[in-house]
Amino acid sequence: DLHIEDFYRDVALTLNRLFAAFPVPVTLYVEDIAGPDQTDEFGLPSARSNACFSTLLWLAKHDYLFFETTIRQEALDRAVLTQRAFVLLSQLETDAEGNTARAVDRLRGALRSAYGERISRCVHELLEQAHQESRR
């Protein structure tokens, strides 16, 4: 399921970019997350670009980021992490060896590894943790 791996990668890159800029709102370009877009002969965005843009909207709908407006299907203008996402990424975690790090540091490590399964697992765990906390 390649589209799910792309989703997790897009989530990881988006959260990392917004955490690095927090609390300053930024313009979040799809191209910066998914790579250069290859439009079709009618000038419509590629399926990959559409999927990335949909991921950004999904993150907003589920209270991980806030934005003021869209710039066509190319970007979110004045995007910033929500309190929920900031707290989630700032939480300290202890790994199996007893090392302590913030959740965002674990996410960054997964991104540096460029290993799709590691990124997917990390993002899945973050989203699951947020879901469990919202149910409390």
Side-chain angles (χ1 to χ4, degrees), residues 15-34:
L15 294 178
N16 183 50
R17 284 181 188 269
L18 293 177
F19 190 88
F22 190 83
V24 178
V26 297
T27 302
L28 199 56
Y29 291 95
V30 168
E31 184 173 87
D32 291 341
I33 297 164

Side-chain angles (χ1 to χ4, degrees), residues 30-31 34-40 43-50 74:
V30 168
E31 184 173 87
D37 188 23
Q38 302 294 325
T39 56
D40 67 12
L44 297 173
S46 67
R48 177 68 187 99
S49 180
N50 281 330
E74 297 172 15

Side-chain angles (χ1 to χ4, degrees), residues 3 10-11 17 21 29 34-35 45 52 55 67 75 82 84 86-87 94-96 102 106 111 115 122 125 133 135:
H3 67 288
D10 293 348
V11 168
R17 284 181 188 269
Y29 291 95
C52 181
T55 297
F67 67 95
T82 61
R84 173 189 192 194
F86 178 74
V87 169
T94 304
D95 65 15
R102 296 175 304 173
R106 190 167 57 95
L111 286 168
Y115 184 56
C122 183
E125 289 170 3
E133 289 176 8
R135 295 180 72 194

Side-chain angles (χ1 to χ4, degrees), residues 14 16 31 61 97 105:
T14 300
N16 183 50
E31 184 173 87
K61 180 179 179 182
E97 292 85 36
D105 296 323

Side-chain angles (χ1 to χ4, degrees), residues 35-81:
D37 188 23
Q38 302 294 325
T39 56
D40 67 12
E41 64 271 11
F42 303 107
L44 297 173
S46 67
R48 177 68 187 99
S49 180
N50 281 330
C52 181
F53 187 72
S54 294
T55 297
L56 298 178
L57 296 178
W58 185 91
L59 285 167
K61 180 179 179 182
H62 292 278
D63 196 32
Y64 292 98
L65 68 85
F66 171 81
F67 67 95
E68 286 190 13
T69 189
T70 60
I71 301 172
R72 294 176 295 283
Q73 285 188 281
E74 297 172 15
L76 301 182
D77 195 28
R78 301 197 45 81
V80 66
L81 290 176

